[in-house]
Amino acid sequence: MISKEEARKKIYHLREQIEKHNYNYYVLSQPVVSDFEYDFLMNDLMALEKMFPEFSDENSPTQRVGSDISSEFRQIEHKYPMLSLGNTYSEEELLEFDERVKKVIGENFEYVAELKYDGASINMTYINGKLRHAVTRGDGVRGDDVTSNVRTIRSIPLILKGNDIPKEFEIRGEILMFHDTFNKLNHEREAAGEPLFANPRNAASGALKIQNSSMVAKRNLDCFLYYIVGEGLPSETHYDNLQKAREWGFKVPQYIQKCSSMDAVFKFIELWNHKRKELPFNIDGIVVKVNSLKHQKQLGFTAKTPRWAIAFKFKAEQVTTRLVSIDFQVGRTGAVTPVANLEAVHLAGTIVKRASLHNADQIELHGVWIGDHVFVEKGGEIIPKVVGVDLSKRTPDCIPVQYIENCPECGTKLIRQEGEAKHFCPNESGCPPQIKGRIEHFISRKAMDIEGLGEETVELLYNEGLIRNIGDLYHLSISQLIPLERMGKKSAENIIKSIENSKQTPFERVLFALGIRYVGETVAKKLAKAIGSIDALKTSSSEDLKQVEEIGDKIAESIIYFFKDEKNLSVIENLKNAGVKLAVEENSTQLLSEKLKGLSILISGTFEKYSRDELKELIEKHGGKNTGSISSKTSFILAGENMGPAKLEKARKFGIRLVSEQEFLKMIE
Ligand code: IVH
């Protein structure tokens, strides 16, 4: 058996080695050991930490896998507000910026030009060389404490190395997702029938907000650093401080350049406007900063932006390609979207074969013909869009677009309501994509979250005639599923189990899952809280509904329309008989575990990770009881910093144990 002292030494040594390998792999992209050797060291460390929990440390590389504890994020105020940058798209405005700078600091100075990484900004505080917390931008004044998620990003050092590290400083950067990770993630989501991310930026900021850091760890995020703030920084220039930060272990990209004139800045812009297509991540422009911190101070800030920096934004990346044909897609609500099939082309990190043409008006506006060369651009949406036509390339074999009059799926005559840009198929209950779309929405993660059932399985079940509406899901049996293509016994069992579990979904989510037009997640929550049950909702008048916050004519009308339809009523009857929750539960605080059952716990002091209210809630959710005063019946005190001396004395008198926040979280893990 290894002695405690030996274990301590070995643990420290292993941590150092593993972090060095992390740095080589995630920051330098130059691994020096095989995955096998790396895993071997990691397993060794995990085993030792398990044997000697007294040496556990949140900065250990083993903790980078995250934890399953769900938590709402607490808010942290930024010590220095997180401002944004002034934007420009034109060279003239950039020259005007240069003029303004020169007016204040004269002619003798230097700029630094950097890439403008397109991700989610993050502000990290390091104290005594260790990561203290990581906070999102939020409203600039305060943001979400996402430290536990950020800890899982391997290129972010938890403990710094090297010299000249200020006692306390903040470092800001961009959390990014690289193209290959993004494409892989969206592929997986598509296969699982989950909604796709529109772009890597959304995927990165979405990942940061996941309430379970072990899931964040799997998202493979990265972080580029671009700005240090604090007292006692090692150098008087921005550029040198960033070089130092690189020595401390941060990933400071090499794409950064000192420029002694605006000409050099323009050259940098020109270079990256071309080369950005080759980068494995997205950038949306260039940032120009005055290099000297003294000059930066002289220039100062406006209310929203620094006067010493500016962002030059690139125009959205555009390509031209040939439009081969047009498909007309019918969505869950019956809305028809024309989608262009294109000759495959590279655009902002992905290969594009399809692009939206939005609606009949847009086709007419752009004057698009089949066979034309069209301009394609990526906007904020998942699918790129056609934004124009290169008429100079039109050939005689191009033909004008005939907009369809009947639904391509069920043949019903399309309608176009006044004020609506889109055509609709009115055959709600007989049009296959509308039926399948409603079922897919019902089972999706934010609705009933029925795992194992994706778009493909719904398609199979529908084609086999096994489901025609959401109520039918609850009559499926394992023996009906097994014969389906690519379905094993195990998957069939899992699906049926998951359908069974979905009966526990709270009413507000069931209400959202029903797919009533305009009843999104928030509206469903408000309706469930105010009205209480499906039966009450069914008989609510428009006036009743409009009493509820956020509900106006349009939503009220849609709800009434939904409950007028006999078919919907019979589906609801079906769900009711299956045991799906169609009313708010009396006692809706569900226990997460019974780990604190029978314990009476007092909270005292201030805490790092959670607020006192959040801790109180956690105690209750794990079966414990909160107590307001110390007595012999108190099981333990959850003690934070600055616990009052009187309470400490009383605790000692009764011999009551003090438990730290970290220990407590371990208890309920
Ligand atoms: S400097 C006080 N440098 O752009 C100046 N920002 O619109 C702090 N960004 O919120 C920002 N790359 O998220 C800076 N090289 C870079 C950047 C950068 C991306 C983002 C950042 C900021 C936004 C400003």
Side-chain angles (χ1 to χ4, degrees), residues 83-85 114-117 121 137 174 226-227 287 289 301 306 308:
L83 302 178
S84 61
L85 291 171
E114 299 169 16
L115 302 186
K116 188 170 187 302
Y117 318 106
S121 45
R137 181 170 184 278
E174 205 79 354
Y226 50 66
Y227 183 48
V287 182
K289 299 173 183 171
F301 297 86
W308 45 264

Side-chain angles (χ1 to χ4, degrees), residues 227-272:
Y227 183 48
I228 309 186
V229 222
E231 307 286 321
L233 300 181
S235 162
E236 261 307 295
T237 66
H238 168 68
Y239 187 88
D240 288 346
N241 279 328
L242 283 187
Q243 303 307 314
K244 264 287 175 201
R246 189 182 288 136
E247 285 172 30
W248 299 336
F250 290 105
K251 197 164 187 168
V252 175
Q254 301 287 351
Y255 328 100
I256 161 170
Q257 190 182 304
K258 283 194 266 189
C259 299
S260 51
S261 69
M262 274 322 259
D263 274 350
V265 169
F266 285 131
K267 279 213 180 87
F268 188 84
I269 291 177
E270 184 57 28
L271 172 76
W272 285 106

